[in-house]
Amino acid sequence: MDNRLIYERTGRCVNYKSHDNAKFLELIDCSDVTESFFTEDKDEMLYIQRIVKNEELCITPMSEWNDLNVTTSPCLEDPVGLTRCNKHASRILLMKEDVFQEDRKLLKMAVVPPNSSCDFKACGFNKREPVKLLPPDQVGRCTNMWECVTLAVKTTRRPHLILRLARSVRDSLGFDLPIVAYDDGPNDYPDEIYQQIAEYPLLQYVVGKNEDLGIARGRNLAVMQVKTKYFFLLDDDIKFNEYTKLDKLVEILDTTDVAVASAAYKVIVFTSYLEFGHFNENKANRRLGVYHEACTIVNQTIPNHPSCVRCDITSNVFLARTKEILDIGGWDPELMILEHKDIFIRLKAAGMKVALCPDVKVDHARPSKIAVKGEDYSEKRRRAAGRFRALINNRWNIQNIFDRSARNHLVMNHDTGEITYKEEKEHESC
């Protein structure tokens, strides 16, 4: 494949030239470029690469803080040069301009408060409005839960877990709920499986043709099948129990302006506040902090539900308004991982409110043996992690995302309700 690096507006190609001991990039006529300028390796990773005097060189970030050595964590305004290749530092991500603009469109809606210490666009999403009761004429109460709620599940060739989930719903609630389960495929299950599925008339088990569909795309396809005003998202290894009080979550969505009301595992995890900021004096460093346990520590309660609190991101066991999730585009199918953080960031950017009810519990009952799509499945996800992080960072125009315990890094003034965040150490001096 002829992978030339072309500047669209000039029609000229990038090449290199040597001058004494230095190597420079220059624009030349594309007809004079006789070889590819960037290459794709066996792991499908791209590098801007040239062979110069039998030496493999790549365009790679270099650190001004470390004697212009190659760095995997460059700072803003660090130089980029044609130097030795590094498997991680030299890797590039190609992005079309229209995709770039589409990713950044949410930032155009952000309004940064005047005199804020956080002064880049995404900081405009930091505001956390309290939950409000809906006006009486907007309250639409759900009388029969099976007419209001559908369970949406993405699975990967584990119909036995979907059947276990359906059985737990029947046992704990005393009736069935509609379930849409989307499976990657292929559809080669024995008749016995479909006979068991038929025992649950409200269970819609959809098997796709793509064997590597991804969680995000599978969830979107499941939610698009939902006919009720709410759906309850969960993973396939979840079971209902006596504490899975869905009616409480339904009541919150019926009567407040909450868009997502979450249940919890027996041990509360993945519940956090999201905060954009610099988190130190270096204004060139734009970051997103994920502060775990902040929801229960701050304890901003939901009207008429004192055991439930305002949150920004929760576990994947939540009741959501179907229309609102579809309106923001659902889960990003480009993201094979990190789709969890991404959708909650987009909910926050869209002004949609999230609640957490720690007393509404589900069982996270992982099977002893987990079937996967092949021995290299986890490795493929791991290799691509850098690309997905780059997509997330580009979307919100930040350098990185960091996770912290709110107990050690969040300070709350209980008299005023004001929250401040402790400064973070610089990463590699930038």
Side-chain angles (χ1 to χ4, degrees), residues 9 18 54 68 88 96 103-104 122 149 163 168 176 182 184 186 197 202-203 208 234 275 277 290 297 319 353 407:
R9 297 190 180 184
S18 296
N54 297 320
L68 294 183
H88 301 292
K96 295 181 180 179
D103 266 0
R104 290 285 181 92
V149 178
L163 288 165
S168 73
D176 291 348
Y182 209 100
D184 284 3
I197 290 173
L202 299 183
L203 170 55
L234 61 172
E275 192 79 10
V290 181
I297 292 172
L319 187 72
K353 299 175 183 178
R407 295 189 183 278

Side-chain angles (χ1 to χ4, degrees), residues 5 37-39 46-50 57-59 82 90 92:
L5 190 61
F37 200 88
F38 60 89
T39 60
L46 291 171
Y47 304 87
I48 301 179
Q49 181 182 73
R50 292 305 295 266
L57 300 176
C58 293
I59 294 183
L82 193 62
S90 305
I92 64 169

